[in-house]
Each structure stands twice: as C-alpha cells, then as structure tokens.
C-alpha cells in the first residue's frame, strides 16, 4: 500500500487519490475565477500569483455563463476542464473539485 499525504484545508481533505473539494459561495462577492484559482492553489501548494491565469485555459466569460445556466436547472449539472495539469469540476451546487494529476 502506498503512502499518501493528506492536507486539511478548511475541513476539506485532499490526498493523492481523491479530489480536493471546495464550496463556492454563489451569494458572496467571490468570483468563480478566484474560487477556481484558490482551489488549484490549495491543491498544488502554489501561490495564486504563481499560477497561470484561468483565461489561458478557457474563456472565463463562457464558463460564467454556463455555470449561471447550470444553477437554474433542477437536475445536478457539472462541467469539467483542465487547469494547471488538473481536472477541475464545477457543479451546479457550487462544489469545485480539483482532481490530482494523472
């Protein structure tokens, strides 16, 4: 059995085999861009300023529009994309999951 490191961030555990899970605050002032960047920062241990801008990986305006449309649906919806070598899933309930690189 391999040893995995576990990090606890705001009561969220992340190890080498499961995603880091964070909850975006749809009602707050935090933008989706900053929530995703913060999640990647926590997953990688890199400063937010060391990460490439999200727009280098996808169109943030299109992402915002899609996520806004997801929140109005009755069924659970999500979108997954790659950012900084990680798969990132954003769910309609605001959960952001960052999967370890493969």
């Amino acid at each position: 059995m391999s040893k995995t490191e576990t990090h606890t961030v705001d009561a969220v555990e992340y190890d080498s085999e499961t995603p880091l899970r964070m909850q975006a605050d749809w009602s707050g002032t935090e933008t989706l861009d900053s929530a995703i960047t913060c999640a990647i920062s926590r997953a990688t241990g890199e400063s937010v300023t060391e990460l490439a801008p999200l727009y280098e990986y996808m169109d943030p305006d299109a992402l915002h529009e899609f996520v806004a449309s997801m929140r109005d649906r009755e069924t659970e919806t999500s979108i997954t994309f790659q950012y900084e070598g990680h798969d990132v899933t954003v769910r309609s309930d605001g959960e952001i999951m960052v999967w370890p690189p493969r």
Side-chain angles (χ1 to χ4, degrees):
M1 183 175 204
S2 67
K3 180 180 175 185
T4 60
E5 287 186 40
T6 301
H7 307 277
T8 301
V9 180
D10 296 332
V12 177
E13 289 190 359
Y14 177 78
D15 65 43
S16 62
E17 298 174 7
T18 60
L20 176 134
R21 296 174 182 268
M22 293 183 58
Q23 187 67 37
D25 182 7
W26 295 139
S27 64
T29 58
E30 181 180 44
T31 65
L32 180 58
D33 295 16
S34 65
I36 292 168
T37 304
C38 180
I40 289 289
S41 174
R42 290 179 178 182
T44 62
E46 293 183 35
S47 167
V48 170
T49 59
E50 295 173 338
L51 300 172
L54 182 61
Y55 65 79
E56 290 185 7
Y57 290 87
M58 69 169 348
D59 180 349
D61 292 332
L63 177 63
H64 286 251
E65 287 180 35
F66 184 77
V67 169
S69 74
M70 288 184 345
R71 292 193 309 245
D72 296 333
R73 298 179 186 177
E74 291 182 23
T75 59
E76 181 61 43
T77 309
S78 66
I79 183 170
T80 301
F81 56 92
Q82 284 232 327
Y83 179 40
E84 290 288 321
H86 296 263
D87 286 339
V88 177
T89 300
V90 178
R91 293 177 15 158
S92 56
D93 64 0
E95 183 176 41
I96 298 171
M97 294 178 281
V98 178
W99 300 89
R102 297 177 200 167

